[in-house]
């Protein structure tokens, strides 16, 4: 029974209008009563209702309930009852023949007051028909009468008075206290729906929940569902009605599925209702499936106008009224999207299951192409809701998706571009998410957060823009380096793209000036660029910032603290860049450039003069000033007048400070004898020039040693520290003035340096500590000078200059080899600074420079070995071997040297890289020259300058290392560039300041231009190893192989492959604007095959195929494990650009081939060490990931490789997998266990509806997996070292958990059909679980905390397995076949643990009985089977049983 609705809820819109209209009338005419002497009229009057004529409402003098009671009583007590009922209905029908009277009966009655006047204002009265329907004996005939009358008005629509008669008739059936024949009423309504016009159909359908009783809901829902399939016009009313019906869960799911099937065909304006219905009343079990299906079919992209229409719409908006139809279409579609999101928001807010389902649905997508705009919008919605759980979940999912590369910037751009007005509602969540993402340690996540800020600023209104700028300023002032860098980068881009908008918020940005103490020099440079652009680019508008900036800069320049002086220099140069920029000429003006205003020119020159005077006394400050000014000249578009002013004194000052005429003798006394070296212009040896390096260094050190400050009138201090910076500024000024020609300073390329004779290196032991340090400093300055010379002249096309640049590169590699030896003999030496825009402390010693650290490490290693001797014999051997190979690897790591005599080793220069000047990316164009082997280089005479000198292996390695570092810095994947949680001392940006001025796409473009040259070098290296293998019949360590040459060429091979890998792994290639660049790169690789030369434009798929084939050809000559891994990863990256399936098999075959290859060094030893192990781990993971049958591959390694290793000697290896040795066993074991656990988690869980074939197939898969697991767990008996135990305990528990979750449901349903298979599977698995139990006892004996931490969870899982098997047997009516005994704690060798034996001596016999021998277990099994057979024969019950000898863990230890 439905509850009666309150009188206020009873009103419908039309009735309200009518009532108020009638009630408000002033009745000018007297009331005319209808004189009806029929039974109908008499009974009504007797009950209290007076019928009226005309448009006046009928009057009721009594309460509605009283009227119904009187009429019911009058009918029942009438002499002609029950015939009187029919007479009454006949009278009603005849009365309603008149349409006006019929309308009166349908409209509310008026209450007759005590004064005899009717009033419709005091309280609402039902209509006469509604009152009659409330009387049970009259209900059915009155309903019939109404249905007969309704067709008369069906096609009339609303009358003159706005009355819709069909709607009013239908309203009479709503909210009746009781319906006598609900089924009949439902039938009549549905029949009417079949023939009625659409408007009436909608009215009827939406009224159904208010008319029918609950018992009819399921039946009517089925009819509505079938109607929905036929008539899409009725989608909204049908779904509204279904949402209000009380349906069974099965029927609701069926209807929901039917609605989901039609979702793609639904009209846009109906979409919100459909989505609301689909998300209505979902249970937790089905929520994920329903939501996943919904997001798959919900295409919000179709609600967005295509780009051409968007453009025309924006043009129409700018013109005014022009595109009203487009505007209305766009706004209506956005309104619909907004309503859809509101429906999702409502469901998410009030149903936790749906909130979790959306998160799970988005998490489950693992393809970039499958992600849609709706995913982002839903994450914003989830973050908006008040629930902390959903906020955290949305944030976590978004971060993980961005980190995994699944949600990309293109999707974010599509969301903001297509749904700006919709997203605006979620602005607070967008800002909050952007703040959170920007604090992430992962650069890819940080980049996404910065994109959110940029889109929010460009898409939203000024209020949002202000919030964005405020939030970015907060990030800058936070003090965390990662946040500061990205926030400044975003502000910089916004200033460049939207200077007018950003000018409004300049005051916010200016506030950062108070927090400059926490900023690095590069960050300060960005900040001053932003502020100076805002202050000076828009004339007088930024004058309020200009004054503040001038004050700050002058204050910092006058400081004696180097940190603040550095800030002043950087700020001043950035301000000069903005003030002195070249003025753009207005349109229509002549081609002559607009000159700089005189006042501005005066300010610029005065500021430059101030900076110069303030930095003269400090070499570091002067060098920084020259570097900053050089960057400005190179990157800024300075006014010609400013250029001229800078260039006037640079050349003269450089000649005066650093260049001397070369005479027969060098006068003066110095710590080391002076000598002019590295002269490339021998014919000009007399009367030429030289760089005065050694005398200047000696003089500078002498001045530096004097503690007294120089007097005011003293000459400025000239230091070799400024040499590189000053020359860079000179060179760039010359390039700017002479359009790239350096003819005026070309003498500096070939002129000698005044250094010392390097024979002194052989007598290093005889030198004092100051002399050693002086020599090291001299070498640093010499190398840095030559690096800057190479930077300057590398782009010159003159063959003579090119040959000199080549020789300068050879000078660098030679001097570096000398420096390595000098540093080895000079511990605790602090090199001179070379990069001045960093926080590197003066006098700091590089971390890994001092040799004593190695001794310390060896001591620690020895100590560790001593501790580990307590473990069993095999583990101690294994770990000692690992320690030994690590130290051996350190000793034998190939270091790049030019000379290595008398066994003197050098220090690696890796940790000294910050102390070398940065090489420009243009230097790498030298790679386009050829490659000569060592023998040719030795016989070459470099004195003939006219002959072109080609690139040697050492120089090639030098350039490739530099290119590799540059690409790692600019293009490397996010994992390689994770920001550290704690601030580290070493600044990772040191040595890359010039590179940072180029965007990653520019770097990638430069690298692709070098690609043909890199391919040439790769092919030459491949040919070198091919010839070497042919000459030595494939033996690498054959006698006569040049070790040094082999190492250099091997390093070249690795570096070339690594460079290609870094280039093609660049995440920017996934963006649409860079696809063309990727295609050109692949075309270069494909072109090397010389296939189909006539085809100019190949498709992407064909390019990928040919590039893959080209790179695959190199696998036969790979000299080591490291290049093998690089080649494999490179092939994977290239294959990812095309259809994956056709390349998986080739990659699996290749990686397996590398695993089956014995990697031998020329020395005859196997490759080993931690790095080798890491590479093997990656190769093995790649093999198992790409192979078709993972379990079969694991079985080959576990069943063939490991047993072969066990049967070999200590130094032996597996025959099938030569890379599998006792040193690499842990690597193989860890990877195989991890992959096995992951692979079983991908097996679908067993379902009851699975076919017998499907069950058999899954059982077979599980049998194979359990067999592999059994082999791996039992290997611990042989390899019982601590790391192996840890791996087994960890992955063993995870495997058992996966078995419980996925395999046990399968066994539940397949037990009766596949009894023997299930029994065999459980017995094999039981042996593995027993071994895991023994391992738990073993770890407790050893009292190793790291291992015992795994024990509680593992034991819990093992107990769960016991009871889960019992539950399976009970489900299949075989509980008698299950019994539990106490399993003793034993060690790995099966020996009982003594402490356990002592504690349990009283119940020893029970324990012995609990562990049955194998024969007894089998007999028990046979007995149970016999018992089962006899029971079946006796007809007691039909079932099958299995004996399950299981154990429960005994925790008494």
């Amino acid at each position: 029974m439905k509850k009666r609705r309150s009188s206020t809820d009873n009103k419908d819109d039309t009735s309200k209008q009518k009532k108020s209209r009638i009630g408000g009338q002033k009745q000018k005419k007297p009331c005319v009563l209808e004189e009806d002497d029929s039974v109908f009229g008499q009974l009504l009057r007797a009950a209290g209702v007076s019928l009226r004529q005309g448009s006046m409402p009928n009057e009721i003098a009594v309460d509605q309930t009283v009227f119904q009671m009187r009429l019911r009583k009058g009918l029942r007590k009438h002499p002609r009852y029950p015939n009187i009922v029919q007479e009454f209905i006949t009278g009603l029908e005849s009365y309603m023949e008149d349409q006006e009277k019929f309308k009166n009966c349908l409209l509310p009655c008026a209450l007759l007051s005590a004064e005899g006047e009717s009033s419709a204002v005091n309280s609402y009265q039902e209509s006469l028909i509604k009152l009659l329907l409330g009387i049970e004996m009259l209900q059915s005939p009155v309903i019939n009468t109404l249905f007969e009358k309704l067709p008369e008005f069906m096609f009339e629509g609303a009358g003159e008075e706005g009355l819709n008669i069909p709607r009013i008739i239908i309203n009479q059936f709503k909210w009746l206290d009781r319906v006598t024949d609900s089924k009949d009423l439902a039938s009549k309504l549905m029949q009417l729906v079949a023939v009625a016009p659409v408007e009436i159909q909608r009215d009827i359908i939406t009224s159904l929940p208010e008319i029918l009783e609950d018992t009819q809901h399921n039946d009517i829902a089925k009819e509505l569902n079938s109607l929905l399939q036929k008539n899409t016009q009725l989608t909204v009313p049908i779904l509204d009605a279904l949402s209000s019906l009380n349906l069974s869960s099965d029927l609701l799911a069926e209807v929901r599925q039917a609605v989901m099937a039609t979702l793609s065909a639904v009209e846009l304006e109906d979409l919100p209702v459909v989505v609301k219905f689909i998300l209505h009343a979902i249970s937790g079990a089905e929520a994920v499936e329903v939501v996943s299906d919904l997001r798959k079919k919900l295409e919000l992209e179709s609600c967005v106008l295509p780009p051409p229409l968007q453009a025309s719409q924006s043009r129409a908006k700018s013109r005014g009224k022009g595109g009203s139809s487009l505007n209305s279409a766009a706004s209506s579609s956005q309104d619909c999207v907004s309503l859809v999101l509101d429906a999702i928001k409502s469901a998410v807010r009030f149903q936790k299951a749906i909130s979790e389902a959306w998160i799970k649905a988005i998490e489950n997508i693992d393809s970039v192409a499958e992600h849609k705009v709706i995913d982002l919008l839903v994450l914003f919605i989830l973050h908006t809701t008040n629930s902390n759980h959903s906020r955290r979940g949305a944030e976590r999912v978004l971060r993980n998706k961005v980190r995994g590369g699944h949600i990309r910037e293109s999707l974010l751009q599509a969301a903001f571009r297509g749904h700006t007005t919709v997203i605006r509602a979620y602005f607070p969540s967008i800002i909050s998410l952007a703040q959170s993402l920007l604090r992430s340690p992962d650069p890819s996540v940080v980049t996404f957060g910065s994109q959110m800020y940029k889109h929010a600023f460009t898409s939203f209104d000024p209020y949002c823009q202000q919030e964005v700028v405020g939030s970015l300023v907060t990030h800058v002032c936070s003090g965390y380096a990662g946040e500061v860098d990205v926030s400044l980068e975003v502000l910089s881009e916004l200033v460049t793209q939207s200077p007018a908008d950003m000018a409004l918020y300049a005051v916010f940005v200016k506030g950062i000036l108070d927090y400059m103490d926490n900023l690095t020099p590069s960050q300060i440079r960005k900040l001053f660029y932003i502020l100076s652009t805002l202050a000076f680019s828009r004339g007088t508008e930024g004058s309020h910032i200009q004054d503040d900036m001038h004050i700050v800069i002058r204050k910092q320049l006058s400081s004696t603290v180097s940190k603040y002086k550095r800030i002043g220099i950087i700020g001043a140069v950035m301000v000069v860049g903005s003030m002195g920029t070249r003025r753009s000429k207005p349109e229509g003006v002549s081609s002559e450039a607009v000159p700089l205003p005189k006042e501005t020119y005066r300010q610029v020159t005065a500021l430059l003069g101030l900076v110069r005077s303030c930095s003269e006394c400090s070499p570091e400050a002067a060098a920084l000033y020259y570097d900053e000014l050089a960057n400005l000249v190179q990157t800024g578009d300075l006014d010609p007048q400013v250029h001229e002013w800078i260039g006037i004194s640079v050349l003269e000052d450089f000649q005066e400070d650093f260049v001397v005429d070369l005479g027969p003798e060098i006068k003066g006394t110095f710590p080391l004898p002076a000598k002019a070296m590295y002269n490339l212009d021998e014919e000009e040896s007399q009367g030429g020039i030289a760089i005065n390096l050694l005398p200047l260094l000696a003089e500078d050190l002498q001045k530096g040693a004097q503690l007294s400050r120089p007097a005011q009138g003293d000459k400025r201090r000239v230091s070799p520290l400024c040499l590189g910076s000053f020359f860079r500024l000179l060179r760039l000024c010359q390039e700017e003035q002479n359009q790239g020609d350096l003819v005026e300073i070309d003498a500096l390329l070939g002129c000698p340096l005044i250094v010392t004779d390097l024979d002194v290196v052989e007598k290093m032991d005889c030198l004092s500590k100051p002399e050693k340090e002086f020599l090291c400093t001299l070498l640093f300055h010499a190398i840095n000078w030559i690096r800057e010379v190479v930077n300057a002249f590398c782009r010159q096309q003159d063959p003579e200059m090119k040959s000199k640049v080549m020789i300068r590169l050879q000078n660098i590699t030679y001097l570096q080899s000398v420096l390595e030896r000098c540093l080895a003999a000079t511990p605790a030496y602090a090199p001179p600074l070379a990069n001045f825009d960093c926080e590197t402390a003066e006098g700091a010693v590089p971390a890994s420079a001092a040799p004593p650290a190695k001794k310390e490490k060896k001591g620690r290693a020895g100590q560790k070995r001593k501790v580990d001797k307590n473990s069993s014999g095999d583990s101690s051997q294994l770990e000692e071997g690992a320690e030994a190979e690590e130290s051996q690897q350190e000793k034998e790591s190939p270091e790049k040297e030019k000379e290595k005599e008398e066994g003197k080793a050098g220090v690696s220069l890796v940790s000294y890289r910050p102390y070398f000047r940065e090489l420009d990316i243009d230097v790498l164009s030298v790679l386009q020259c050829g490659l000569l082997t060592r023998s040719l280089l030795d016989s070459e005479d470099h004195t003939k300058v006219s002959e072109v000198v080609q690139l040697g292996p050492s120089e090639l390695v030098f350039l490739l290392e530099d290119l590799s570092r540059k690409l790692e810095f600019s293009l490397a994947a996010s994992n390689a560039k994770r920001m550290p949680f704690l601030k580290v001392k070493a600044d990772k940006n040191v040595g890359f300041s010039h590179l940072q001025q180029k965007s990653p796409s520019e770097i990638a473009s430069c690298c692709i231009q070098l690609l043909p040259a890199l391919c040439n070098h790769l092919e030459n290296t491949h040919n070198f190893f091919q010839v070497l293998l042919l000459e030595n019949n494939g033996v690498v360590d054959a006698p006569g192989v040049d070790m040094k040459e082999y190492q250099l060429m091997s390093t070249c091979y690795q570096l070339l492959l690594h460079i290609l890998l870094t280039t093609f792994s660049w995440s920017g290639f996934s963006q649409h604007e860079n696809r063309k660049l990727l295609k050109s790169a692949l075309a270069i690789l494909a072109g090397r095959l010389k296939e189909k030369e006539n085809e100019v434009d190949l498709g992407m798929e064909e390019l990928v195929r040919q590039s893959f084939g080209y790179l695959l050809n190199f696998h036969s000559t790979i000299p080591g494990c490291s290049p093998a891994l690089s080649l494999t990863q490179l092939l994977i990256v290239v294959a990812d650009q095309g259809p994956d399936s056709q390349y998986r098999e080739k990659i699996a075959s290749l990686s397996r081939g590398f695993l089956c290859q014995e990697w031998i060094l020329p020395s005859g030893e196997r490759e080993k060490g931690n790095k080798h192990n890491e590479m093997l781990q990656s190769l093995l993971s790649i093999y198992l990931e790409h192979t078709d049958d993972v379990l079969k591959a694991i079985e080959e390694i576990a069943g063939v490789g490991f047993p072969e290793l066990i049967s070999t000697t200590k130094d032996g290896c597996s025959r099938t997998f030569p890379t599998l040795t006792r040193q690499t066993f842990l690597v193989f074991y860890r990877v195989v266990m991890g992959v096995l656990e992951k692979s079983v988690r991908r097996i679908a869980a067993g379902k009851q509806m699975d076919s017998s074939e499907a069950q058999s197939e899954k059982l077979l898969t599980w049998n194979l997996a359990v067999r592999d697991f059994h082999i791996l767990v039992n290997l611990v008996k042989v390899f019982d070292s601590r790391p192996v135990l840890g791996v087994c305990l960890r992955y063993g528990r995870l495997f058992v958990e996966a078995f419980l979750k996925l395999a046990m449901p399968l066994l539940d349903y397949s037990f009766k059909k596949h009894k023997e298979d299930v029994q065999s599977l459980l017995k094999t698995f039981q042996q593995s679980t027993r071994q895991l139990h023994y391992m738990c006892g073993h770890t407790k004996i050893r009292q190793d905390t790291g291992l015992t931490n795994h024990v509680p969870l593992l034991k819990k899982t093992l107990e769960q397995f016991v009871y889960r098997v019992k539950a399976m047997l009970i489900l299949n009516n075989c509980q008698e076949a299950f019994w539990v005994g106490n399993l003793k704690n034993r060690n790995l060798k099966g020996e009982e643990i003594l402490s356990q034996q002592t504690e349990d001596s009283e119940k020893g016999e029970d324990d012995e009985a609990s562990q049955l021998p194998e024969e007894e277990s089998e007999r028990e099994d046979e007995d149970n089977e016999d018992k089962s057979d006899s029971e079946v024969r006796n007809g007691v019950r039909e079932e099958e049983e299995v004996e399950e000898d299981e154990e429960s863990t005994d925790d008494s230890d």
Side-chain angles (χ1 to χ4, degrees), residues 445-515:
V445 178
V446 171
T447 305
F448 193 85
S450 69
Q451 291 294 327
M452 288 178 73
Y453 273 125
K454 279 187 269 190
H455 285 302
F457 186 88
T458 53
S459 303
F460 296 151
D461 50 79
Y463 166 75
C464 298
Q465 291 178 338
Q466 178 177 316
E467 291 295 311
V468 168
V469 174
S471 182
L472 288 169
V473 169
T474 305
H475 282 301
V476 175
C477 301
S478 67
Y480 294 103
E483 283 185 59
V484 178
D485 283 332
V486 180
S487 308
L488 286 171
E489 189 63 41
V490 175
L491 286 170
S492 175
E493 288 185 34
L494 292 178
V495 165
T496 307
Q497 293 169 4
S498 313
D501 291 335
M502 278 296 295
L504 302 173
Y505 315 108
V507 175
F508 291 94
V509 184
K510 190 186 72 174
I512 304 174
L513 289 172
D514 298 331
Y515 295 87

Side-chain angles (χ1 to χ4, degrees), residues 35-52:
E35 295 295 338
D36 190 346
D37 294 331
S38 65
V39 173
F40 168 69
Q42 290 173 1
L43 285 170
L44 285 182
R45 280 196 299 276
V49 167
S50 304
L51 300 174
R52 291 295 190 98

